[in-house]
Amino acid sequence: MKAVSHTLADTQDLITESFGDSILRHLIYSVGKDISHAVTRDWCVAVSLAVRDRMVEGWIDTTREIYKRKQKRVYYLSMEFMIGRLLEDSLTNLGLADEARAFFEAKGVNFHDVLHAEQDAALGNGGLGRLAACFMDSMATVGVAGMGYGIRYQHGIFRQNMEDGWQMEEPEDWLVEGNAWEFRRPEVVYDIDFGGSVVTDENGKTVWKPTEQLQALAFDLPIAGWEGKHVNTLRLWSARQSESMNLKKFNDGDFIAAARQQILAETVSKVLYPGDHTEQGRELRLKQEVFFTSASLQDLIRRFFTNYESLDNLGDHVAVQLNDTHPAIAVPELIRILMDKYDYSFDAALKIARETLHYTNHTLLPEALEKWPKGLFERILPRHLQIINMIDGAFYQEAMAKGLEHHIIAGMQVIHPHQQDWVRMGNLAFIGARKVNGVSALHSELMKETVFHDLNIMYPDKIVNQTNGVTPRRWVLECNPHLSDLITENIGNEWIADLEQLEKLAPLATDKAFQKKYMDVKLANKKRLADYLLERTGVSVNPAAMFDIQIKRIHEYKRQLMNILEAIALYNAIKDNPKGDWQPRVKIFAGKAAPSYFLAKLIIKLITDVQNVVNNDPEIGDKLKVIFLPNYNVSAAEILIPGADLSEQISTAGFEASGTGNMKFALNGALTIGTLDGANVEMAEHVGHENFFIFGMEAHEVAERQHRRARPSEIIKDLPRFQQILAQLEDGTFSDGDTDRYKDILDNLKHHDYFQVVPDFEAYWDMQRHIDGVFADKSKWAEMAILNTAKMGWFSSDRTIRGYAKDIWDADLAF
């Protein structure tokens, strides 16, 4: 840690206290235990608070320096921050890990158990949230004056349990034992309004008269960058009712009525992504987005006024990044605040918003580009709907001035003038943003060609690319310590802050001695993973087998279905020739399906059914194992990724925006089987196509088949291997004789197959058999794995954030 300024002299006794003494002090005075009675969770809280003390020193210094320099502020608004456990991350970044380990060894306490007594923060679900977490780490590491804004979910998305192979959702009670990292800010409270009507007062001013009001309460988590030189803030909002409980109703015995408003208010920050298949669910989800976005905008404006007197030049001093369409309501909300609270004209407010807001698109799936029923919007956000109509009017005039035709303009407006049922949030974010970025080179180009084709013509300089990256601290240094030690032993430790230093490993790829050390690390990680799988699932696997892993949110476009169908084909092939020279393989799946996504849940059920048949077939033995690991989270990923031999990145080409799991796997020496989709394209270029297993159709071929509605039956008739699989799903081979269980999957594969499982299946099968042969050549596989690690340095989130700062935010870096 750097020296603490003299302004903190009054806390010098605490600062000079040894780290071990800090842990003991917190054990006694914060946890209320002595050494002889402390359990593992007590030690975890005590060491977390001791680390937090050290972090606060840099946090205060960082904040003072930002104010002093008037450094441009960057605010990152995201519905998800999948930060996982913070203790090991914070110990590592502050350089306290060795000291903590030595302390616990001296006390006879298992350090590993202490680290893992912390619960994963249930603040995210998938790649969107994990990317936000990596970005928070990198913004602090490179010295962006950054602040994350999200929701402090009480339950996150859900805890995934399995009941007879079906996904069951239970609350994720991650806060039940408290959160040692957070600071409650009771003085930071903002009113969030809904409903009511819009009227004109006696002075001709537009006034929104809401009928419902919530309050947003702030909770802060310090996020330290590498070496603790810069500490940023993740501010999470918790909801409460704006008025106290109705005590009269309570005293009259009507307890439910007395508490009703409180319960309704608190639902806003209860659960990540409430099901939106009902009207109530849609309303709650829209309110969540408004809730955290409005609170965040009010908060950053309050902070802005500590340095500046006028909002005229807000965009010169503030950059707001909207992570996907969830915070797109920021466009009319910022305009509303500027107009209704600070008396700006609409034109001036729109100009300021367009200079301040930036939008990251994460998907080309039309259903994922949020749109809301206009009636719901009118009922919940009447003032915002009025402003959206004004935005559409201004946009229409702007487009007409550029010579665009009426029907083209209509397709770009937020509310289509001839199809007025929907408010399209992707269009709103695009029109209201200064810059719009994709997250891989392919994705950014496809944005221009597909979902934002006309808007790109309207604003040809607005779309830019920033290919995603991952933090090397979490995803190599911490999750794979043996590999980290081997890298440092050979090239020094500068790679931790400059990942492109890994290139120095490339000449060692053919060195037999280094290959052995590298693969010994891989085997140790596979043994750790095998033990973890046995503990979690009861399935015993051979660490010498190929570990073939697909860990993602369960979705049709990610094609877990194709993966498990290939497992069935492999099972059939082994059954036909049980004495054949088969490469032993363990297929591991993990991921959650949205609660209302029936087909995704059915795919999980199929995986678990195939698992039961394959793993209990004595003729198969260790030649093939199939495992579905429940309740996938960051902590599970930290064990799965270092133990992987093969990384499954098999999405339908043109549908995965980027991916970051693909990067984590490759950094840790897993080879990739994948389509030319998302960041796979750039990864293959960096790693070398010869060290990457690419198969299947490219994006333009997929688009062509979808456009002409090609029938899967035209291909199935020539695929006997696939026909056998379909017959087995029909006759109940994998469903205890139940011939109806998979009728929806069968109907989809035979008649629709929008995500092109059928036309890519044989190419996938052939590539998997090619991979079997390569894996058998241990020296060749080791060379390719080493080159994957060595060539992935460009995919650091530090590089990505520097790109955002330069090309989007126009923000200075402290380092």
Side-chain angles (χ1 to χ4, degrees):
M1 289 291 297
K2 66 179 179 178
V4 180
S5 66
H6 68 279
T7 55
L8 294 177
D10 54 337
T11 61
Q12 198 63 40
D13 288 344
L14 294 181
I15 294 167
T16 56
E17 175 184 52
S18 76
F19 186 54
D21 286 344
S22 294
I23 298 171
L24 291 174
R25 175 171 54 81
H26 277 296
L27 181 68
I28 295 169
Y29 295 109
S30 301
V31 180
K33 290 284 189 76
D34 62 18
I35 293 176
S36 60
H37 293 92
V39 298
T40 303
R41 172 66 186 173
D42 299 329
W43 284 114
C44 178
V45 173
V47 69
S48 298
L49 291 172
V51 175
R52 194 183 75 166
D53 286 350
R54 297 300 196 273
M55 209 181 296
V56 167
E57 302 164 24
W59 199 15
I60 293 171
D61 275 358
T62 297
T63 302
R64 283 201 180 101
E65 190 65 21
I66 290 169
Y67 277 111
K68 179 181 175 182
R69 294 175 52 199
K70 293 189 176 181
Q71 190 176 354
K72 187 171 186 177
R73 298 267 193 164
V74 174
Y75 297 101
Y76 196 85
L77 274 61
S78 179
M79 281 283 280
E80 298 186 41
F81 285 94
M82 201 170 177
I83 56 178
R85 295 172 173 141
L86 287 177
L87 177 53
E88 185 174 11
D89 207 38
S90 301
L91 284 167
T92 300
N93 279 351
L94 269 65
L96 294 169
D98 290 341
E99 196 172 345
R101 184 178 291 105
F103 170 84
F104 284 109
E105 286 176 357
K107 297 297 179 189
V109 178
N110 188 301
F111 184 50
H112 176 273
D113 291 348
V114 171
L115 292 178
H116 289 81
E118 180 183 7
Q119 291 222 41
D120 276 49
L123 299 173
N125 178 40
L128 181 86
R130 187 52 234 173
L131 180 74
C134 283
F135 279 7
M136 289 301 297
D137 175 277
S138 287
M139 279 195 278
T141 293
V142 305
V144 171
M147 190 165 190
Y149 280 120
I151 297 177
R152 184 180 178 266
Y153 302 105
Q154 185 175 340
H155 297 300
I157 186 162
F158 57 82
R159 180 182 295 277
Q160 181 191 53
N161 287 325
M162 307 305 294
E163 188 172 304
D164 191 28
W166 292 98
Q167 172 181 292
M168 306 299 291
E169 300 91 25
E170 295 183 358
E172 185 86 43
D173 291 324
W174 73 287
L175 286 170
V176 70
E177 295 178 337
N179 179 3
W181 300 101
E182 68 183 12
F183 291 85
R184 187 176 186 272
R185 304 299 192 194
E187 75 282 7
V188 182
V189 181
Y190 297 102
D191 293 330
I192 314 297
D193 296 326
F194 302 102
S197 60
V198 180
V199 300
T200 303
D201 68 12
E202 62 275 10
N203 299 316
K205 181 178 173 61
T206 301
V207 177
W208 178 21
K209 293 193 171 182
T211 53
E212 181 183 354
Q213 188 175 81
L214 305 180
Q215 288 186 330
L217 284 72
F219 291 79
D220 288 353
L221 284 76
I223 304 293
W226 176 239
E227 297 182 330
K229 293 182 290 187
H230 188 100
V231 183
N232 283 328
T233 304
L234 173 58
R235 176 160 285 183
L236 303 174
W237 301 107
S238 184
R240 74 177 183 191
Q241 66 182 111
S242 59
E243 297 178 358
S244 58
M245 184 178 68
N246 190 320
L247 193 59
K248 182 179 185 306
K249 287 187 177 181
F250 188 89
N251 289 330
D252 288 344
D254 195 350
F255 307 133
I256 300 300
R260 182 175 180 275
Q261 275 306 114
Q262 179 180 347
I263 294 168
L264 288 175
E266 291 177 356
T267 58
V268 170
S269 54
K270 282 279 187 188
V271 176
L272 169 64
Y273 301 147
D276 57 1
H277 57 290
T278 65
E279 183 177 349
Q280 295 91 334
R282 284 191 294 272
E283 178 177 326
L284 178 55
R285 187 155 170 177
L286 178 57
K287 284 183 174 179
Q288 282 186 325
E289 296 180 2
V290 175
F291 167 76
F292 98 93
T293 302
S294 177
S296 303
L297 291 175
Q298 292 182 65
D299 193 50
L300 70 88
I301 288 173
R302 175 195 60 78
R303 190 175 297 106
F304 177 84
F305 279 122
T306 63
N307 273 124
Y308 307 99
E309 295 182 356
S310 171
L311 290 165
D312 292 358
N313 299 313
L314 181 67
D316 291 340
H317 306 289
V318 166
V320 176
Q321 191 69 39
L322 311 178
N323 192 28
D324 214 350
T325 53
H326 307 127
I329 195 68
V331 179
E333 173 65 0
L334 181 54
I335 292 171
R336 182 193 70 82
I337 292 171
L338 291 168
M339 291 177 67
D340 295 359
K341 188 171 182 180
Y342 296 102
D343 294 324
Y344 280 87
S345 69
F346 168 74
D347 289 341
L350 177 61
K351 180 177 181 292
I352 292 170
R354 282 176 158 178
E355 292 169 346
T356 306
L357 304 175
H358 311 82
Y359 161 51
T360 300
N361 173 271
H362 284 279
T363 184
L364 303 177
L365 288 168
E367 66 269 24
L369 286 172
E370 287 183 311
K371 59 181 183 180
W372 297 104
K374 183 181 175 183
L376 173 65
F377 229 86
E378 191 165 23
R379 179 164 54 85
I380 302 299
L381 300 167
R383 178 59 170 148
H384 296 75
L385 183 63
Q386 188 180 67
I387 291 170
I388 287 170
N389 286 326
M390 296 167 74
I391 292 170
D392 269 346
F395 176 78
Y396 183 85
Q397 296 300 322
E398 191 178 354
M400 286 290 289
K402 290 190 175 185
L404 275 69
E405 297 181 15
H406 175 77
H407 72 281
I408 298 294
I409 301 172
M412 292 187 283
Q413 288 177 286
V414 181
I415 301 173
H416 195 296
H418 307 304
Q419 303 164 14
Q420 295 193 20
D421 295 335
W422 298 98
V423 180
R424 300 180 292 182
M425 304 305 280
N427 296 46
L428 177 62
F430 196 110
I431 291 169
R434 176 174 171 266
K435 291 290 183 183
V436 175
N437 72 282
V439 289
S440 73
L442 175 64
H443 171 234
S444 297
E445 289 307 309
L446 289 174
M447 281 169 58
K448 298 175 183 178
E449 297 171 11
T450 57
V451 290
F452 295 131
H453 175 268
D454 293 333
L455 282 164
N456 181 60
I457 293 173
M458 177 81 176
Y459 304 109
D461 299 322
K462 188 171 279 196
I463 294 180
V464 297
N465 178 63
Q466 293 297 336
T467 298
N468 284 345
V470 300
T471 167
R473 274 75 62 184
R474 171 81 67 147
W475 294 110
V476 184
L477 183 64
E478 295 163 30
C479 76
N480 202 339
H482 296 306
L483 179 59
S484 299
D485 290 345
L486 181 62
I487 294 170
T488 299
E489 176 187 320
N490 283 271
I491 67 170
N493 66 1
E494 292 183 4
W495 64 272
I496 300 168
D498 179 10
L499 199 59
E500 295 193 54
Q501 295 285 331
L502 291 181
E503 181 72 34
K504 295 177 182 177
L505 293 173
L508 297 172
T510 55
D511 182 285
K512 299 301 181 185
F514 185 78
Q515 284 185 355
K516 183 180 185 308
K517 290 180 180 179
Y518 187 93
M519 296 312 290
D520 283 348
V521 167
K522 178 62 71 174
L523 182 59
N525 288 329
K526 292 174 71 175
K527 288 178 178 177
R528 179 180 68 155
L529 175 53
D531 291 342
Y532 180 73
L533 294 172
L534 181 61
E535 178 188 345
R536 289 284 309 278
T537 69
V539 180
S540 177
V541 299
N542 178 9
M546 182 197 303
F547 282 15
D548 171 356
I549 301 181
Q550 186 175 19
I551 45 176
K552 293 178 178 293
R553 178 169 53 92
I554 309 297
H555 196 288
E556 289 171 88
Y557 90 82
K558 294 179 184 289
R559 299 202 294 192
Q560 287 94 349
L561 178 59
M562 185 166 69
N563 190 349
I564 194 60
L565 294 180
E566 192 273 338
I568 294 173
L570 181 56
Y571 171 74
N572 291 335
I574 297 172
K575 292 288 284 184
D576 288 344
N577 181 19
K579 296 187 182 300
D581 186 20
W582 297 102
Q583 168 58 53
R585 187 183 287 245
V586 179
K587 276 187 170 284
I588 303 167
F589 299 81
K592 296 178 181 179
S596 59
Y597 193 170
F598 171 74
L599 199 57
K601 287 185 165 183
L602 190 59
I603 290 169
I604 293 176
K605 176 59 175 169
L606 175 59
I607 294 168
T608 59
D609 278 348
V610 172
Q611 169 183 312
N612 291 336
V613 172
V614 170
N615 296 356
N616 291 298
D617 190 328
E619 197 170 30
I620 299 298
D622 280 346
K623 299 182 186 73
L624 177 64
K625 295 285 188 183
V626 176
I627 297 176
F628 184 85
L629 179 69
N631 204 43
Y632 173 63
N633 58 17
V634 174
S635 293
E638 291 169 351
I639 298 173
L640 288 158
I641 288 169
D645 293 305
L646 187 66
S647 162
E648 296 273 352
Q649 307 298 330
I650 59 176
S651 53
T652 310
F655 283 84
E656 186 72 85
S658 169
T660 55
N662 46 4
M663 301 170 190
K664 296 162 195 164
F665 276 114
L667 269 172
N668 285 276
L671 274 58
T672 301
I673 178 169
T675 53
L676 282 174
D677 195 26
N680 287 355
V681 177
E682 291 154 282
M683 286 173 59
E685 291 171 354
H686 281 263
V687 169
H689 283 265
E690 67 278 10
N691 300 307
F692 224 79
F693 301 116
I694 295 294
F695 76 95
M697 294 184 292
E698 296 185 27
H700 69 277
E701 296 171 299
V702 168
E704 187 275 329
R705 278 189 62 82
Q706 290 175 332
H707 179 72
R708 65 181 174 88
R709 298 185 178 180
R711 295 177 178 272
S713 57
E714 298 171 357
I715 298 173
I716 292 174
K717 64 182 176 61
D718 297 321
L719 301 178
R721 194 180 348 260
F722 201 82
Q723 291 171 19
Q724 181 183 5
I725 296 169
L726 297 181
Q728 289 171 306
L729 297 184
E730 288 175 333
D731 68 19
T733 298
F734 298 100
S735 52
D736 297 320
D738 184 346
T739 57
D740 290 331
R741 184 175 299 170
Y742 296 115
K743 63 182 181 180
D744 292 290
I745 288 177
L746 288 163
D747 179 66
N748 183 40
L749 289 171
K750 289 179 178 180
H751 305 297
H752 311 290
D753 194 28
Y754 183 75
F755 295 106
Q756 309 301 309
V757 169
V758 174
D760 270 352
F761 183 79
E762 279 297 302
Y764 181 56
W765 166 269
D766 291 342
M767 185 56 73
Q768 291 284 24
R769 304 291 73 78
H770 170 67
I771 290 169
D772 284 340
V774 178
F775 190 77
D777 184 343
K778 300 305 181 187
S779 179
K780 181 61 178 175
W781 189 273
E783 178 186 347
M784 295 170 71
I786 293 165
L787 286 172
N788 266 263
T789 296
K791 300 287 186 177
M792 284 295 294
W794 189 77
F795 294 92
S796 167
S797 52
D798 298 348
R799 183 268 313 155
T800 309
I801 288 299
R802 289 189 177 99
Y804 273 88
K806 177 177 177 290
D807 300 331
I808 298 177
W809 302 329
D810 191 26
D812 295 332
L813 307 179
F815 315 112

